[in-house]
Each structure stands twice: as C-alpha cells, then as structure tokens.
Amino acid sequence: MKHLITIASLVLASSAAHAGLYLKGSALFADVDNLRGSTSFDAAVDRSTGFTLGAGYRFTILSVEVEGLALESDITGAEGGGASGARGSYEQAALFVNVIVDIPGIPLVTPYVGVGAGFGRVDFSGDVTFSDLTQGSFSGDDTAWGFQAFVGVRVGLPLTGLGVYANYRYYDLSDAKVGSIGSNVLEARGTSAVELGLRYEF
C-alpha cells in the first residue's frame, strides 16, 4: 500500500509540476484526397509526409494551442476528362488554433480529442497529358479557411515534462482553388493523417 501511495504521489507531483505552457512537434504521414476538377478531370495526389510545430497552454483537462502544419505531395496521375496522366507538386501550409480535451483515467496515459479552426495556403503546379497526346500545364495558389478534428493518446514520462503522443487527424482546406486548365478549376479537398510527436510541458 505504501508503494502505491508513493507512486501515485510521484505521478500527481509530476503532473502538477509540468502543467501549463507546452511546446510540441510531430511528423505527419498523410493521405491527401485527390484534387477535384470542376468540369472534367481530377488530379491524383500521392501519399506524403509533413510536420507540425505548436505551442499551447493546458488548463487541467482543457488545452488551447496554436499549431503550424506543412505538407508536400506529388501529383501522380489524373482521372476522367480524357486525361491519361499527370505529374506535378502540391504543397500545403496551415495555421490552426486548437482546443483539446483530455480524458482522464489511467495514470500517465491520456486519451484526448480536439478540434481546430484556422487558415491555410495551397500551391499547385504540374503537367497533364490527355488521351489524344496533347498536354496542358497548370499552376496556382490560394488561401482558404480550414478546420480539423483529431483523436489520440499521450503517454507522459514520470518526473519529466516530456510526453509522446500519437493521433489520427482530418483537416480540410476545401475552399482553396489551386489551378485550372481552360474552364476546369481544380479545388483542394481533405487530408487524413497519422501523427507521431513529442510534447514538453514547462
């Protein structure tokens, strides 16, 4: 019993000592939805990697944070509208304000859910080949409001401010128009991502 009380005291002391301001960073492993064409073809986007950096403040089980996100993908094909192939690049950068709610229960292991809102920029360029062997080039960039939601788990290291976290997130910048060929306007869509990161609480 004394050992259990000692362990519980250490956990509580560690949590209290490191509540408040925190910094975090992570790697993203993303599956970007194809870019939607308004009249003819969609551009296929390859899976890609990216990163996030953020800072926040934890109020007991509630945290508020600012988070930046960057992701770069390749265009690997096209679908519909007589297109037979496409090559290019697609970049995303976004800034979100997130609200996170911890779900208490198991010492040192904290499930959490969160939502965020912000804005982002997309940049898109490439070439498409049609079935009649004609080619077209496209490029464009745009900014748009966005939102995201995520669910994950964080594991704290006792007597330190460090925590390791993993989550699944979905974010959307789908108001962004990223390029056009003739009357066909390509629009951004959503991105699903698995995230692995580190967080340090001061």
Side-chain angles (χ1 to χ4, degrees):
M1 186 66 178
K2 289 182 179 180
H3 293 298
L4 290 176
I5 293 173
T6 301
I7 292 171
S9 299
L10 288 173
V11 170
L12 291 174
S14 175
S15 298
H18 298 102
L21 181 67
Y22 63 86
L23 300 175
K24 69 172 201 171
S26 71
L28 291 175
F29 305 90
D31 186 4
V32 184
D33 288 347
N34 291 349
L35 303 179
R36 180 186 293 121
S38 58
T39 59
S40 56
F41 70 91
D42 292 358
V45 184
D46 200 9
R47 290 185 174 90
S48 58
T49 58
F51 67 91
T52 72
L53 294 173
Y57 195 89
R58 181 165 64 128
F59 307 88
T60 61
I61 65 169
L62 180 70
S63 300
V64 179
E65 65 179 31
V66 177
E67 177 187 53
L69 176 154
L71 187 71
E72 183 173 356
S73 305
D74 292 326
I75 304 300
T76 57
E79 301 174 357
S84 59
R87 287 290 181 269
S89 64
Y90 177 50
E91 299 177 1
Q92 304 177 58
L95 186 68
F96 290 102
V97 176
N98 301 324
V99 176
I100 301 164
V101 178
D102 292 343
I103 303 171
I106 306 173
L108 303 179
V109 179
T110 306
Y112 61 88
V113 295
V115 294
F119 65 94
R121 177 184 177 87
V122 295
D123 194 333
F124 179 49
S125 63
D127 299 291
V128 60
T129 301
F130 294 95
S131 55
D132 62 2
L133 301 183
T134 60
Q135 291 188 326
S137 296
F138 47 87
S139 64
D141 57 74
D142 197 8
T143 57
W145 295 105
F147 68 89
Q148 66 175 346
F150 46 90
V151 57
V153 63
R154 184 172 60 254
V155 179
L157 304 179
L159 304 179
T160 74
L162 285 174
V164 180
Y165 63 92
N167 66 45
Y168 167 83
R169 74 166 69 200
Y170 178 85
Y171 67 91
D172 195 306
L173 302 169
S174 60
D175 286 337
K177 310 296 188 293
V178 295
S180 63
I181 298 178
S183 60
N184 188 48
V185 178
L186 293 170
E187 300 178 351
R189 300 174 69 186
T191 299
S192 302
V194 174
E195 179 179 14
L196 299 175
L198 288 172
R199 172 168 140 165
Y200 179 74
E201 297 187 11
F202 294 91

